[in-house]
């Protein structure tokens, strides 16, 4: 502290006096803590919950780790650390083991149960939700819950789980919510404060490692922003604008400028293409993209490796690796290659030799030894873990990845390259959002290693530097709730709290909080409009009579005349009826006392404003009615469906209780909770053998691609399976009709596309045969197998004894080979 000013020394001494635990924790870290990290730790030490919203790589997990540190200071206290995906849970589990030892840290991810009674347990958010509904004994002594990547609650498929956990956690538990930078952090914090109590919102926009933005034009990295103006002004590099406009081919301050001009003067022009082409100035250069091997070489020469190339396609990632392989790109030393082989062999030793051949292991390992790799959901999870580990050790220098890599896995790079600024969303190619751009480029810059990170956008035909600058400088990533009541949620809430209290709980959701906030603004609009309407009504007052009544007749007459003119082809009888109505309205108007008023048209102008504003105000009132109590109304519809199927019983006083079937549904989670529960109750699967039950469970979790055709009758397993599948599909249709009758959205039909492969896998078919049947990558098959295991596990807990035994046997049959080996 000798180099500090007296003021700084006083500030540190004061902080230590008020927050000694934070001060000690900060001194134990490898880096000096940033102000937002210190503020988060101090809030926790003061006994408050916190929401920390900060950029990717800023180090917000330090605040979560401090919560665990606090729990470990008190004997008997526990801390849970939740993540959205199993890969993140595994990563955090190993990190915490290094700090606290194997005995103090556990892992729960649905299919993995390691040291569950430990004082620190890492888990997926779904596991914690299930523990809360089951009132698990493991919750005793729980003091802190860290919810990493809490912005996941916007996910439309799984986001509701985050809100369920936040609402149901005991108030005595302090919540540490860690989020990417979102534009409405204060709104989310206000909600947390409402449902959890004293919550401090800490927002940081500062990246610990500054990010330099570049555009790769041919073989040159040009700055996106004018260096003199800086990112804050979003003033685009004028050279890029000139290139875009075809106004100059000089490439100012560009070491290749003279070379380019010489080539032009030598007559090196491209031949025109057939057909229409974009209009550009006669002297404008056509920007040719350089090949990936050249891009990698450019980054290597400029000391910008390791790099992540984001390509929004799995096939594109694999093709990029092959392209570098064909170009004989090698980025590693002999020592690197030896270490890579050692790490790969250590992390994949449990895989069978015959499976390695199917997975093209040796080609994959050779690519790793070159320092290049792909990373996407189709990759075997064990292989993804290897890539992540080698990249963290700086042994792999270039990774071609899909956007799933941006979900919080610890893989920071020096440079991030975006080859395109659009992606396929399942229906069409759409531009990436500023939030997605921020998430992706947030991987660039390694704290303690890099002075700055680098984001590189490749120039493509039609690129607009102004649009790229807007993506890079804007921070609009709103967090919007995706919460909706489910059947499982409904029976659990009714069982624990009763229907009335359940409605109150649901009305405290973030979804309703956001709807109510919007209602406040709409109500203000209505109030202002009502004042204006009163003024308009005064202005159109007529001493001859009721001008509002008169203007109503005029409006009806005008509307009917417009309809009659527009609908000239209507039957003669209908046109005659309309004409009679028009004549009747015209006579009423002419007889009205206000018709003879000399100021009639002046009054009419005010009346027109009145009716126009009233129409808008009535629509706003309808919006208010629709948004008020939205979540509770959906809950009532869900309960009505459950009552119709006798999962709940409603007595004459309106008191709702669970029926026996409802108690079974408490333990069934997932998109098809009602279909699973009803299939079990009706005994549709009681005659299935283990392999057939695995195949049928797969039909309920599998979501085919839009362009994917089913296997047809020929590919499906024979025997009892087909009868059970037909019965299940018929039941789905009945339930779907019932849901739609109750104004609920219904669900997709069970998908049998993966059933033959899952049936074969459960019967012991080798991996190559199964992947051929599945027609999918190994990583995808493992993911669906894991979800099949999750459902089989639920069935084994709630089904009648014979079927429960079959489910356990099926579960063991699926959990083998590469499915059993991988933990993600």
């Amino acid at each position: 502290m000798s180099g500090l000013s007296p003021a700084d020394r006083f500030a540190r001494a004061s902080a230590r006096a008020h927050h000694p635990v934070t001060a000690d924790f900060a001194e134990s870290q490898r880096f000096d803590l940033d102000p937002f990290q210190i503020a988060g730790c101090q809030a926790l030490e003061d006994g408050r919950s916190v929401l920390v919203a900060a950029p990717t790589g800023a180090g917000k997990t330090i605040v979560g780790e401090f919560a665990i540190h606090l729990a470990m200071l008190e004997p008997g206290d526990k801390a849970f650390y939740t993540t959205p995906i199993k890969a993140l849970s595994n990563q955090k589990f190993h990190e915490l083991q290094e700090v606290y030892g194997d005995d103090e840290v556990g892992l729960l991810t649905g299919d993995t149960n390691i040291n569950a009674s430990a004082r620190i347990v890492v888990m997926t958010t779904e596991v914690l939700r299930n523990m809360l509904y089951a009132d698990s004994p493991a919750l005793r002594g729980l003091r802190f819950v860290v919810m990493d990547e809490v912005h996941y609650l916007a996910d439309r498929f799984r986001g509701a789980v985050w809100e369920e956990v936040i609402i149901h956690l005991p108030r005595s538990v302090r919540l540490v919510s860690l989020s990417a930078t979102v534009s409405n952090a204060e709104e989310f914090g206000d909600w947390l404060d409402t449902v959890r109590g004293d919550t401090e919102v800490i927002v940081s926009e500062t990246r610990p490692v500054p990010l330099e933005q570049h555009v790769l034009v041919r073989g040159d990295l040009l700055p996106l922003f004018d260096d003199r103006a800086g990112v804050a002004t979003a003033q685009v590099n004028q050279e890029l604008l000139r290139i875009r406009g075809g106004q100059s081919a000089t490439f100012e301050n560009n070491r290749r400028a003279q070379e380019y001009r010489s080539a032009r003067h030598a007559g090196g022009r491209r031949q025109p293409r057939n057909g229409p082409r974009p209009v550009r100035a006669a002297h404008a250069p056509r920007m040719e993209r350089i090949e990936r091997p050249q891009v990698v070489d450019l980054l290597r020469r400029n000391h910008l490796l390791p790099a992540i190339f984001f390509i929004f396609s799995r096939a594109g990632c694999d093709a990029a690796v092959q392209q570098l392989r064909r170009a004989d790109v090698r980025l590693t030393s002999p020592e690197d290659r030896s270490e890579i082989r050692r790490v790969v062999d250590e992390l994949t030793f449990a895989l069978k030799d015959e499976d390695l051949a199917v997975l093209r292991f040796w080609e994959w390992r050779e690519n790793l030894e070159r320092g290049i790799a792909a990373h996407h959901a189709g990759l075997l999870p064990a292989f993804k873990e290897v890539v992540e580990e080698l990249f963290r050790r700086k042994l792999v220098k270039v990774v071609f990845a899909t956007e799933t890599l941006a979900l919080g896995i610890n893989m920071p790079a020096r440079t991030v390259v975006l080859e395109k600024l659009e992606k396929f969303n399942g229906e069409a190619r759409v531009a990436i959002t500023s939030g997605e751009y921020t998430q992706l480029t947030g991987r660039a810059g390694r704290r303690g290693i890099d002075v700055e990170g680098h984001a590189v956008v490749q120039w493509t035909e039609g690129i607009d530097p102004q649009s790229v600058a807007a993506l890079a400088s804007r921070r609009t990533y709103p967090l919007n709730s995706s919460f909706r009541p489910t059947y499982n949620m409904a029976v659990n809430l009714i069982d624990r709290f009763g229907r009335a209290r359940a409605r109150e709980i649901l009305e405290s959701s973030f979804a309703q909080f956001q709807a109510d906030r919007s209602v406040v603004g709409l109500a203000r609009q209505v109030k202002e409009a009502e004042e204006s309407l009163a003024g308009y009504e005064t202005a159109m007052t007529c001493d001859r009579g009721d001008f509002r009544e008169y203007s109503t007749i005029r409006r009806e007459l005008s509307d009917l005349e417009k309809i009659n003119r527009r609908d000239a082809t209507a039957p003669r009888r209908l046109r005659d009826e309309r004409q009679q109505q028009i004549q009747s309205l015209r006579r009423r108007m002419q007889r009205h006392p206000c018709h003879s008023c000399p100021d009639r048209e002046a009054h009419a102008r005010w009346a027109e404003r009145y009716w126009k504003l009233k129409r808008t105000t009535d629509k706003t009132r309808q919006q208010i009615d629709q948004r008020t109590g939205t979540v509770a109304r959906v809950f009532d519809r869900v309960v009505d469906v459950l009552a119709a199927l006798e999962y709940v019983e409603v007595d004459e006083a309106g008191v709702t209780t669970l029926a026996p079937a409802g108690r079974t549904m408490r333990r069934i989670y997932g998109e098809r909770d009602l279909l699973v529960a009803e299939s079990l109750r009706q005994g549709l699967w009681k005659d299935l053998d283990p392999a057939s039950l695995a195949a049928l469970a797969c039909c309920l979790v599998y979501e085919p691609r839009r362009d994917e055709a089913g296997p047809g009758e020929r590919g499906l397993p024979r025997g009892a399976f087909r009868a059970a599948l037909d019965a299940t599909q018929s039941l789905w249709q009945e339930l779907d009709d019932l849901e739609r009758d109750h104004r609920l959205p219904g669900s997709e039909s069970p998908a049998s596309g993966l059933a033959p492969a899952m049936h074969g896998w459960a019967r012991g078919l080798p991996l190559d045969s199964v992947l051929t049947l599945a027609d999918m990558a190994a990583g995808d098959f493992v993911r669906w197998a894991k979800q099949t295991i999750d459902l089989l596990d639920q069935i084994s807990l709630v089904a009648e004894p014979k079927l429960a035994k079959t489910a356990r046997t099926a579960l063991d049959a699926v959990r083998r080979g590469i499915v059993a080996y991988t933990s993600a």
Side-chain angles (χ1 to χ4, degrees):
M1 290 178 58
S2 58
L4 298 176
S5 69
D8 288 338
R9 285 201 297 272
F10 175 78
R12 285 206 176 187
S14 178
R16 174 172 284 283
H18 290 94
H19 299 96
V21 183
T22 298
D24 290 340
F25 180 78
E27 289 174 5
S28 70
Q29 301 303 305
R30 291 185 299 124
F31 306 110
D32 289 340
L33 296 191
D34 291 332
F36 85 89
Q37 294 170 321
I38 293 172
C41 294
Q42 289 177 345
L44 288 172
E45 189 174 352
D46 289 339
R48 299 199 293 277
S49 294
V50 293
L51 164 64
V52 180
T56 300
K60 51 186 172 286
T61 55
I62 282 286
V63 182
E65 290 164 10
F66 179 71
I68 294 170
H69 176 74
L70 285 175
M72 296 303 285
L73 293 177
E74 298 294 331
D77 281 356
K78 291 181 179 179
F80 289 171
Y81 196 109
T82 74
T83 73
I85 55 178
K86 294 175 184 178
L88 274 177
S89 293
N90 297 329
Q91 191 176 89
K92 203 67 197 176
F93 170 64
H94 294 303
E95 289 175 7
L96 291 171
Q97 276 185 321
E98 291 177 9
V99 177
Y100 295 101
D102 295 357
D103 292 341
E104 297 286 12
V105 185
L107 176 67
L108 291 172
T109 59
D111 58 341
T112 303
N113 185 328
I114 301 173
N115 200 15
S117 60
R119 292 178 61 196
I120 306 166
V121 184
V122 183
M123 61 187 69
T124 51
T125 316
E126 281 86 352
V127 170
L128 179 53
R129 186 272 311 271
N130 298 351
M131 290 171 69
L132 288 167
Y133 279 152
D135 197 19
S136 168
L139 297 170
R140 296 188 192 117
L142 182 60
R143 186 178 176 196
F144 292 98
V145 166
V146 182
M147 300 194 78
D148 203 354
E149 309 284 336
V150 75
H151 52 273
Y152 238 85
L153 68 76
D155 183 87
R156 71 187 179 98
F157 296 111
R158 298 172 56 212
V161 176
W162 273 255
E163 291 191 49
E164 289 179 81
V165 168
I166 292 168
I167 291 169
H168 295 310
L169 270 175
R171 293 278 291 215
S172 59
V173 176
R174 297 292 87 189
L175 189 66
V176 183
S177 304
L178 307 178
S179 171
T181 304
V182 293
S183 53
N184 61 335
E186 288 77 11
E187 178 188 41
F188 183 50
D190 287 347
W191 174 68
L192 288 172
D193 195 70
T194 301
V195 296
R196 301 293 318 156
D198 194 4
T199 300
E200 182 153 338
V201 179
I202 298 164
V203 178
S204 174
E205 292 277 3
T206 305
R207 283 177 48 96
V209 180
L211 184 64
E212 297 289 327
Q213 308 272 354
H214 312 274
V215 178
L216 177 57
V217 185
R218 297 180 66 126
D220 297 276
L221 289 172
L222 301 183
L224 173 59
F225 295 100
D226 189 323
D227 292 339
R228 295 162 296 179
V231 177
T233 63
Q235 184 170 330
V236 180
N237 184 348
Q238 294 300 303
E239 187 62 33
L240 291 172
L241 296 177
R242 282 194 288 271
I243 295 169
R244 158 78 170 170
Q247 298 169 4
S248 168
T250 59
F251 290 31
E252 292 174 354
N253 302 316
N254 183 340
R255 66 183 185 280
R256 294 176 180 258
Q258 187 59 48
E259 175 186 328
Y260 175 75
R261 282 197 294 271
S262 298
R264 279 191 63 233
H265 290 310
R269 294 196 179 189
R270 292 176 57 85
Q271 294 299 313
R273 299 178 301 180
N274 293 328
R277 60 182 299 161
V279 177
R280 56 164 62 88
H283 56 274
R286 179 177 178 78
M287 293 299 142
E288 297 297 330
R289 288 169 63 94
I290 64 174
E291 297 294 329
R292 288 191 186 105
Q294 295 171 275
V295 177
V296 170
D297 185 57
L298 174 68
L299 297 179
R300 181 186 58 78
R301 285 187 283 106
N302 285 278
H303 308 290
L304 295 178
L305 296 180
I308 298 172
F309 286 65
F310 279 109
I311 300 174
F312 302 112
S313 147
R314 299 179 189 181
C317 292
D318 293 333
V321 171
Q322 292 304 315
Q323 189 179 8
L324 264 61
R325 179 187 177 92
R326 287 194 300 271
D328 199 27
V329 171
R330 293 182 185 274
L331 305 170
T332 53
S333 67
E335 294 76 19
D336 289 339
R337 291 194 283 277
S338 176
E339 180 66 8
I340 287 169
R341 277 193 297 274
R342 189 191 68 75
V343 172
V344 171
D345 292 343
E346 177 185 320
L347 295 179
T348 60
F349 77 94
L351 293 173
K352 297 178 182 177
D353 286 345
E354 57 267 30
D355 289 348
L356 294 178
V358 174
L359 298 168
R360 302 177 69 178
F361 169 82
W362 287 277
E363 180 183 319
W364 171 74
R365 190 178 70 175
E366 185 189 338
N367 291 334
L368 291 175
E369 291 175 22
R370 292 172 177 270
I372 56 179
H375 189 289
H376 54 70
L379 203 63
L380 190 69
F383 284 14
K384 281 195 293 187
E385 291 171 15
V386 170
V387 172
E388 291 159 15
E389 181 62 24
L390 293 175
F391 196 79
R392 281 195 292 272
R393 296 192 190 192
K394 295 178 282 191
L395 294 169
V396 164
K397 318 292 186 183
V398 171
V399 169
F400 297 97
T402 56
E403 69 225 82
T404 54
L405 185 59
L407 294 178
I409 295 172
N410 182 23
M411 276 184 67
R414 177 165 294 174
T415 304
V416 163
V417 180
L418 299 180
E419 294 191 349
K420 293 182 179 178
L421 294 176
E422 62 178 21
K423 65 177 184 177
F424 187 70
N425 67 356
E427 296 179 350
R429 299 208 69 82
V430 296
I432 65 172
T433 65
S434 58
E436 289 168 330
Y437 183 93
T438 301
Q439 281 283 93
L440 296 170
T441 58
R443 291 274 148 224
R446 298 163 301 174
R447 189 167 187 167
I449 301 174
D450 299 320
V451 177
E452 74 261 325
H454 298 267
V456 177
V457 175
Q458 285 198 255
W459 186 280
T460 57
E461 282 291 305
I463 195 171
D464 179 8
Q466 295 280 17
S467 298
V468 180
L471 281 176
S473 57
R474 199 181 302 135
R475 292 292 180 268
T476 51
Y477 183 62
L479 185 61
N480 293 315
S481 173
S482 59
F483 186 83
R484 60 182 177 82
T486 65
Y487 297 106
N488 170 272
M489 186 191 303
V491 294
N492 274 291
L493 288 174
I494 290 170
D495 185 45
R496 290 189 66 192
F497 306 108
R499 183 170 182 173
R501 175 68 182 130
R503 288 182 100 259
E504 292 176 13
I505 289 171
L506 293 174
E507 286 179 333
S508 69
S509 66
F510 187 44
Q512 192 58 57
F513 184 83
Q514 288 190 307
D516 290 344
R517 282 212 160 181
S518 67
V519 164
V520 171
L522 293 172
R524 190 180 300 116
Q525 291 177 29
V526 169
K527 185 176 180 182
E528 292 170 357
E530 286 173 342
E531 293 173 0
S532 297
L533 286 170
Y536 293 161
E537 198 162 8
T538 300
M540 70 180 182
T541 300
C542 178
D543 58 4
R544 302 283 180 100
D546 184 348
F547 201 90
R548 187 162 67 167
E549 180 185 71
Y550 175 72
S551 65
T552 301
I553 298 171
R554 279 179 57 139
R555 285 183 63 80
E556 289 179 14
L557 175 61
S558 175
D559 290 344
L560 204 55
E561 287 176 334
K562 285 177 185 175
I563 292 171
N564 210 35
R565 284 195 300 271
R566 224 173 23 238
D567 199 9
T569 58
R572 183 180 181 85
R573 180 180 57 79
L574 182 59
R575 287 178 58 81
D576 288 345
E577 287 178 3
R578 280 193 198 136
Q579 199 60 44
Q580 290 175 4
Q581 289 176 293
I582 288 170
Q583 293 301 330
S584 174
L585 285 169
R586 201 169 277 152
R587 285 193 295 271
R588 286 179 59 200
M589 181 184 71
Q590 291 168 349
R591 292 172 186 164
H592 198 282
C594 292
H595 190 67
S596 60
C597 176
D599 296 323
R600 182 185 69 196
E601 293 310 310
H603 295 326
R605 283 192 292 273
W606 285 108
E608 187 59 32
R609 293 175 189 171
Y610 173 89
W611 289 112
K612 187 175 181 180
L613 180 59
K614 188 175 186 306
R615 253 201 324 266
T616 303
T617 306
D618 288 345
K619 287 181 181 177
T620 306
R621 285 197 181 97
Q622 286 179 352
Q623 286 181 286
I624 291 173
D625 291 341
Q626 289 167 357
R627 295 184 190 186
T628 303
T630 306
V631 177
R633 280 203 301 273
V634 174
F635 171 73
D636 287 338
R637 294 170 193 164
V638 167
V639 174
D640 288 345
V641 170
L642 291 171
L645 294 170
E646 299 181 348
Y647 282 84
V648 298
E649 297 170 348
V650 184
D651 65 16
E652 293 179 358
V655 176
T656 305
T657 54
L658 294 193
R663 284 189 282 277
T664 298
M665 185 180 278
R666 289 179 307 176
R667 304 290 296 276
I668 300 173
Y669 305 97
E671 289 289 307
R672 300 192 185 279
D673 47 7
L674 182 61
L675 180 57
V676 172
E678 193 65 5
S679 296
L680 292 175
R681 186 166 70 162
Q682 295 188 20
L684 302 186
W685 307 336
K686 61 184 176 62
D687 296 326
L688 295 178
D689 60 29
S692 296
L693 182 59
L696 203 141
C698 179
C699 293
L700 299 182
V701 299
Y702 178 56
E703 297 170 9
R705 297 188 302 270
R706 291 179 180 273
D707 58 347
E708 184 178 317
E713 288 291 318
R714 185 175 300 175
L716 294 175
R718 298 182 179 278
F721 172 84
R722 295 198 184 186
L725 178 62
D726 288 345
T728 303
Q729 287 176 324
S730 296
L731 175 60
W732 165 79
Q733 185 65 66
E734 293 172 15
L735 296 177
D736 192 65
D737 291 343
L738 180 64
E739 288 177 306
R740 294 182 191 282
D741 288 345
H742 285 83
R743 292 179 293 159
L744 290 170
S747 60
E748 294 293 324
S749 169
S752 59
L754 194 55
M758 195 60 67
H759 186 265
W761 180 252
R763 283 173 42 237
L765 279 185
L767 180 62
D768 58 344
S769 301
V770 169
L771 293 183
T772 299
L773 278 171
D775 190 24
M776 65 174 53
D780 290 321
F781 178 76
V782 168
R783 186 171 75 256
W784 294 121
K786 290 288 185 182
Q787 293 194 34
T788 300
I789 287 171
D790 285 345
L791 179 53
L792 289 170
D793 186 45
Q794 293 173 39
I795 293 170
S796 74
L797 296 174
V798 300
E800 50 83 21
K802 181 186 174 186
L803 184 58
K805 183 178 179 182
T806 304
R808 284 191 292 274
T809 305
L811 186 155
D812 291 336
V814 175
R815 192 162 55 194
R816 68 178 180 87
I818 60 170
V819 177
Y821 172 71
T822 181
S823 57

